[in-house]
Amino acid sequence: MKKTLFLITISIAVLSCNIKKEEKGELPEIDVDVTADAGKLPEYEVNWADVNVGTTTKTVEIPKVVIIMEEEQVEVPFIDVDMPNDEEKEERTLMIEAEVTENEHEINIEEIWASGKKLFVISELSKKEKTIGDKKMRISDQVTLNAPDLEVKHYIVGDKPDRVFNTQHTYVSDLETLKSKVGDYKVIYSK
């Protein structure tokens, strides 16, 4: 039984290749003096399966998130500041942004305070009920300012979302703490 199985295995191995004899072989001639002429082994060409590696085009479903930015005309608050010494004014946009996860949020510029050559932009970040799942969302608000070059500092009243993007502004827990930190100021804008 073992012999038959061995012969079948050998037969399968031999029959799975296409072997073609290319040349006859001959054994070396041996002289009794122990000198020998070089012999020549037969050459064989072995043909096996052709293997091609490449790419092919398939249609598969790939999830994609698309954000469309559209221009739209909206009412944006406009603040015109005239300084006592008639400094040259420049129009610029004061924008506040935050990146949030889990729930929708809203951010609004509530007040702008002036103290000397500094402006303090006070915004409020509030969490909404609607969830956004595992997505992230950027929210923003803006005010147009026409004023001389002033130093601008942004403060956001609310819990700081755990995103690297949110490290560019200072978050405070309540407005009273901020008022004592700033000192004397004049409210030049209130929503």
Side-chain angles (χ1 to χ4, degrees), residues 16 22 32 43 51 60 74 88 115 122 163 169 182 191:
S16 67
E22 295 285 319
V32 180
E43 287 184 25
V51 178
V60 295
V74 296
E88 190 175 318
S115 178
I122 315 303
R163 304 288 303 159
H169 303 301
V182 171
K191 192 169 195 173

Side-chain angles (χ1 to χ4, degrees), residues 67-74:
I67 297 173
I68 299 171
M69 300 295 281
E70 294 180 351
E71 284 190 14
E72 212 175 280
Q73 289 196 355
V74 296

Side-chain angles (χ1 to χ4, degrees), residues 11-26:
S11 299
I12 290 173
V14 170
L15 294 175
S16 67
C17 292
N18 180 7
I19 300 173
K20 179 179 165 190
K21 185 176 181 182
E22 295 285 319
E23 282 185 31
K24 278 186 167 183
E26 55 183 71

Side-chain angles (χ1 to χ4, degrees), residues 24-32 34-42:
K24 278 186 167 183
E26 55 183 71
L27 294 174
E29 291 182 18
I30 299 177
D31 198 5
V32 180
V34 186
T35 54
D37 292 334
K40 187 175 182 184
L41 294 175

Side-chain angles (χ1 to χ4, degrees), residues 37-51:
D37 292 334
K40 187 175 182 184
L41 294 175
E43 287 184 25
Y44 292 92
E45 180 184 328
V46 178
N47 291 324
W48 197 67
D50 286 336
V51 178

